[in-house]
Amino acid sequence: MGGAVSAGEDNDELIDNLKEAQYIRTELVEQAFRAIDRADYYLEEFKDNAYKDLAWKHGNIHLSAPCIYSEVMEALDLQPGLSFLNLGSGTGYLSSMVGLILGPFGVNHGVELHSDVIEYAKQKLDFFIKTSDSFDKFEFCEPSFVTGNCLEISPDCTQYDRVYCGAGVQKEHEDYMKNLLKVGGILVMPLEEKLTKITRTGPSAWETKKILAVSFAPLIQPNHADSGKSRLVHLPPVAVRSLQDLARIAIRGTIKKIIHQETMSKNGNGLKNPPRFKRRRVRRRRMETIVFLDKEVFASRISNPSDDNNNSEEIEDERQEEEETKPSELKPDPPVNFLREKVLSLPLPDPLKYYLLYYREK
C-alpha cells in the first residue's frame, strides 16, 4: 500500500511532487492547491499524514488522495464564473479549491449525506476565510453546503456547468448524473471502476473519456423505509450579489492592480519573481500495482522505468543542485499580505477598512 507520488514535508512539497508526476498540469490548479493547506482539513492527531499521497478516513470524514483530487481538478477544466456542484462534498477541501478558481461570480454548491460532516466543512471553511492569507490573493466563490442524498436532488433544480461526484456511481444512475449538466458542461465521476470525464456536447450528445482506474465506495442508495417517501434535496438558490458586495469586489480588485503596478515599477517589467527553492528530485519507477485504502483504490502512474539507467547522472545532478542552493537555504521571511497592508493604510473609516477585509482576524 502506498501513494502515487512521494510524501512531502509540507503542502508546497506535496504540490511539487504532484507536478513532477504530471498529476497537476495547469497553473490555475497549481495555484489553488498551494493556496489551501491540506493539513488544515485533518483532525489534529492525524496531521502527520496530511502530505502523504493517501486517502484519509475517520468516521464519516473522508479525504481522497491528493493525486485523485488533482486529476479531478484538471479534468473539470474550471474557469471563472462557472457553476459547480459537488456531490458528496465531504470536508469542503475540494469545494474551497474550486471556489478560488470560480471567483466572485461563480456558483459553488455541495451536497453531503452526513450532517456532522457538513458542520465540519463549515468550520474548516470559516477557518480558511478568517485566517488564511491566501484568501486575500483571490476573489473567492464561497461554497454552500446542503444535507441530503445526492440521488434525491429535486427535479426542478438548476443545471450546472461542472459536476463532480465523490462516490462510485452505479451504471443505472449515469443518466441521472448527466442530466445535472448544462450543454457544454463537464461531469467527473467514478463509473465502472474508472474516473470518468463526460462532456455534454448537445441536448442528447455526450463525449466520454476514461481518466484513471479507481475504486470508490459506492453511492448510498436512498432509504425510504421510515416514511416510504422520497426526501427531495433542494439546492441553494442562485443569489444575486448586493451592491455592497459588488463595490467591495471592485475596490479590492482595483487595489490589487495598484499593488501589481507598484511591484512592476519597483522590480522592472523584465524581472520575474524569484524562483521557488529547488527541491531534491525523487526518482520513481512505473508501478503496475493498484493502491488500496479503505475502499478507495487508485492506480499509480509514475515515470518510465528506463529512468533507472540514468541513476548516476541524476545523483550527480542532485549533488550540483544541492551545492547551488546552499546559500539560499536560510529560512525565508514570512509572506507579506500586501492587500491587507494597503487597505489598512488607506485614509478610510475603520469600519470600511474592516468591511473590505471581510472582518478577517489576521
Side-chain angles (χ1 to χ4, degrees), residues 96-289:
S96 291
M97 289 195 293
V98 169
L100 296 175
I101 298 177
L102 296 183
F105 305 113
V107 175
N108 193 356
H109 293 163
V111 179
E112 169 57 44
L113 182 63
H114 303 289
S115 58
D116 60 325
V117 180
I118 290 275
E119 289 306 310
Y120 186 85
K122 288 179 178 178
Q123 291 171 14
K124 296 302 180 182
L125 175 62
D126 189 56
F127 178 81
F128 170 69
I129 291 174
K130 287 185 176 179
T131 67
S132 175
D133 279 330
S134 294
F135 180 83
D136 284 331
K137 297 176 183 176
F138 298 83
E139 292 300 334
F140 188 46
C141 182
E142 185 173 333
S144 297
F145 304 113
V146 296
T147 307
N149 190 306
C150 66
L151 293 175
E152 297 184 299
I153 292 174
S154 175
D156 61 356
C157 82
T158 184
Q159 292 177 315
Y160 291 79
D161 297 302
R162 301 291 185 267
V163 177
Y164 170 64
C165 181
V169 177
Q170 293 87 349
K171 188 67 177 176
E172 60 264 30
H173 298 307
E174 180 179 356
D175 288 343
Y176 170 91
M177 295 294 177
K178 287 179 175 178
N179 287 330
L180 296 171
L181 276 184
K182 296 179 181 179
V183 173
I186 295 173
L187 163 67
V188 178
M189 62 181 176
L191 180 67
E192 297 184 312
E193 306 298 310
K194 297 287 192 302
L195 188 64
T196 304
K197 175 181 179 179
I198 298 175
T199 305
R200 188 169 194 171
T201 57
S204 306
W206 316 85
E207 289 181 357
T208 301
K209 178 183 178 182
K210 305 295 184 181
I211 301 171
L212 192 67
V214 296
S215 180
F216 282 59
L219 280 172
I220 295 176
Q221 303 299 306
N223 183 1
H224 304 147
D226 295 336
S227 63
K229 296 181 180 179
S230 174
R231 301 171 183 173
L232 289 181
V233 176
H234 296 279
L235 295 169
V238 178
V240 177
R241 289 274 191 177
S242 68
L243 288 177
Q244 263 191 334
D245 267 355
L246 293 174
R248 174 163 59 183
I249 291 165
I251 294 169
R252 283 168 62 93
T254 300
I255 294 173
K256 287 178 182 178
K257 288 179 182 177
I258 292 170
I259 292 171
H260 177 71
Q261 291 168 356
E262 290 175 349
T263 303
M264 293 292 287
S265 299
K266 184 176 179 180
N267 295 338
N269 292 339
L271 294 180
K272 297 182 179 179
N273 292 329
R276 291 177 46 78
F277 295 130
K278 291 184 179 179
R279 300 187 185 275
R280 186 176 183 273
R281 290 184 296 173
V282 180
R283 293 185 299 278
R284 302 181 178 86
R285 296 182 175 87
R286 183 180 301 278
M287 293 186 289
E288 301 301 335
T289 56

Side-chain angles (χ1 to χ4, degrees), residues 334-354:
V336 178
N337 189 330
F338 292 106
L339 178 67
R340 181 177 180 83
E341 288 196 349
K342 179 66 77 172
V343 169
L344 292 176
S345 70
L346 294 174
L348 298 172
D350 285 346
L352 180 53
K353 293 180 184 179
Y354 298 144

Side-chain angles (χ1 to χ4, degrees), residues 23-47:
Y23 285 101
I24 292 178
R25 300 179 289 278
T26 59
E27 185 177 353
L28 276 178
V29 172
E30 179 185 353
Q31 289 175 349
F33 269 84
R34 291 199 191 278
I36 298 181
D37 195 321
R38 180 176 168 89
D40 289 342
Y41 287 78
Y42 275 66
L43 293 170
E44 192 66 36
E45 60 266 34
F46 299 103
K47 285 190 175 183

Side-chain angles (χ1 to χ4, degrees), residues 4 18 23 33 38 53-55 62-75 94 164-166 188 190 195 211-216 296-299:
L18 289 168
Y23 285 101
F33 269 84
R38 180 176 168 89
D53 191 23
L54 297 172
H62 177 263
L63 280 168
S64 291
C67 69
I68 298 295
Y69 281 136
S70 52
E71 285 287 7
V72 169
M73 290 279 286
E74 292 287 359
L94 177 67
Y164 170 64
C165 181
V188 178
L195 188 64
I211 301 171
L212 192 67
V214 296
S215 180
F216 282 59
E296 182 173 347
V297 184
F298 53 87

